[in-house]
Amino acid sequence: MQLFLDTASITEIRTMWDIGILDGVTTNPTLVAKEGKTFKSVLREICELGVPSVSAEVVATDTDGMLREGRDLRAFHPSIYVKIPMTAAGLKATKILAGEGTRVNMTLVFSPNQALLAGKVGATYVSPFIGRLDDQGQEGLELVREIVTIYRNYHVATKVLVASVRHPMHVVDAAKIGADIATMPFAVMEKLVQHPLTDLGLARFLKDWEKVPKG
Ligand code: E4P
C-alpha cells in the first residue's frame, strides 16, 4: 500500500521524504491556508522535492471553473493530481479532464455510489473520508470495504485512496482491506515508525554492548 502525507507543510514532507517512506502528498484548501504562503509556492516546494504524486484541489464549484483551474494545475507540474470534489459539476469536469489525460483525485467521497461514479468518469484516485464518517457515528472503514469490493467486481482501475485518517489502526485496517493508498497527517505517519518495545529493546542492546570488552 502506498503511504501519502496529508499536509502542506514542507518541513513535514521533507522529513518523511528523506526517510524514504513517502509515496505522495495530498493537500486541501484548509491545509494550504495553515502555511501562510501562496498556493503555487507551496506546490512548487513540494513538487521540487521530487514527490511523484501531489494532489492539489480546485476551489471553483462550476464545471468551467474546475476545468480552468484543473488545466492550470496540470500545466504547473507533471506530479500534480487535480483534486475535484464529488458533485455533479465535479463529475462532469473529471470526465473531461481525464479524457485529456489529467489525473484526477475525486475528493469528499462518503458513499459507495459516489465511488462508483468516480470510477465511471475515469478518476485516477477516489478519496473516501473515513475519519469524518467515524465522527458522524458511521464506520468509515466499512465504506472502504464496499468500494474495494465494487471496484474488484467491475475491474475499475481507479485507485482507492483512504483519506481523513486519524490513527495508525486506520492504516492497518485499510491495508488489510486492500486499499491502494492511505493519506495521513504527519503525527500518524510518525506513529507507524514507533513502538515502545523497539525503544526498550534498543536501549537494552546498547546497555549490554557496554559490557562487551573493547579493543
Ligand atoms: C484528503 O485528501 C483530505 O485532505 C483529508 O484526508 C481530510 O482529512 P480531515 O478529515 O482530517 O480534514
Side-chain angles (χ1 to χ4, degrees), residues 6 26 28 31 83 129 132 163-164 166 183:
D6 194 31
T26 51
N28 64 38
L31 294 169
K83 235 173 155 184
F129 276 37
R132 293 194 196 183
S164 188
R166 302 269 197 260
T183 189

Side-chain angles (χ1 to χ4, degrees), residues 113-189:
N113 282 329
Q114 288 181 324
L116 189 60
L117 298 178
K120 203 175 262 300
V121 294
T124 301
Y125 298 152
V126 65
S127 289
F129 276 37
I130 65 169
R132 293 194 196 183
L133 279 172
D134 288 351
D135 292 345
Q136 295 292 312
Q138 191 183 333
E139 203 203 329
L141 281 161
E142 184 50 29
L143 172 60
V144 178
R145 250 175 239 117
E146 290 174 311
I147 298 172
V148 168
T149 303
I150 291 167
Y151 281 9
R152 279 197 189 133
N153 286 348
Y154 296 100
H155 309 288
V156 177
T158 305
K159 290 190 170 162
V160 181
L161 192 167
V162 179
S164 188
V165 161
R166 302 269 197 260
H167 51 73
M169 281 315 292
H170 272 156
V171 182
V172 173
D173 287 327
K176 281 158 78 177
I177 292 166
D180 300 285
I181 305 158
T183 189
M184 65 207 78
F186 182 80
V188 174
M189 195 172 279

